[in-house]
Amino acid sequence: YESKAGGENYVGLMIKLEGDAIRRWGEATNKYIGKHLALIINDKLVNAPRVNASIPNGMTALNRSEYSKEELVLFKEQLEKN
């Protein structure tokens, strides 16, 4: 997705989990509140954000503009393969 805030353009990637992954993500985010969880794609650390709250609905995002739109498209394609 793309958004604009404070005069800046931002890009991000929404990730929607399905099936048992929703429950597992909720449990993991609940367990690690205040700590970091790693997002690893193809054996590469992509992101390790600090968990601020439990995420029981299976939705999460990469939205800190740390990556270009092209990199996020590549991450999306890699996630869809798995």
Side-chain angles (χ1 to χ4, degrees):
Y1 67 88
E2 295 183 43
S3 66
K4 189 170 193 165
E8 298 287 329
N9 291 321
Y10 294 95
V11 294
L13 176 64
M14 293 295 298
I15 301 169
K16 180 181 178 191
L17 302 173
E18 297 178 349
D20 194 48
I22 296 170
R23 177 190 58 78
R24 292 188 324 229
W25 185 242
E27 289 174 358
T29 55
N30 188 57
K31 182 177 179 178
Y32 291 100
I33 292 172
K35 299 177 182 169
H36 294 268
L37 275 179
L39 172 59
I40 298 171
I41 301 175
N42 293 336
D43 296 323
K44 180 181 176 188
L45 177 65
V46 171
N47 199 2
R50 182 173 175 264
V51 179
N52 294 317
S54 177
I55 305 173
N57 65 0
M59 297 294 292
T60 194
L62 293 174
N63 59 3
R64 299 277 189 234
S65 289
E66 296 171 7
Y67 300 100
S68 69
K69 184 176 180 178
E70 293 77 17
E71 288 172 309
L72 292 171
V73 167
L74 180 61
F75 294 156
K76 179 179 182 278
E77 290 170 353
Q78 292 171 339
L79 288 169
E80 289 174 341
K81 287 180 185 177
N82 297 320

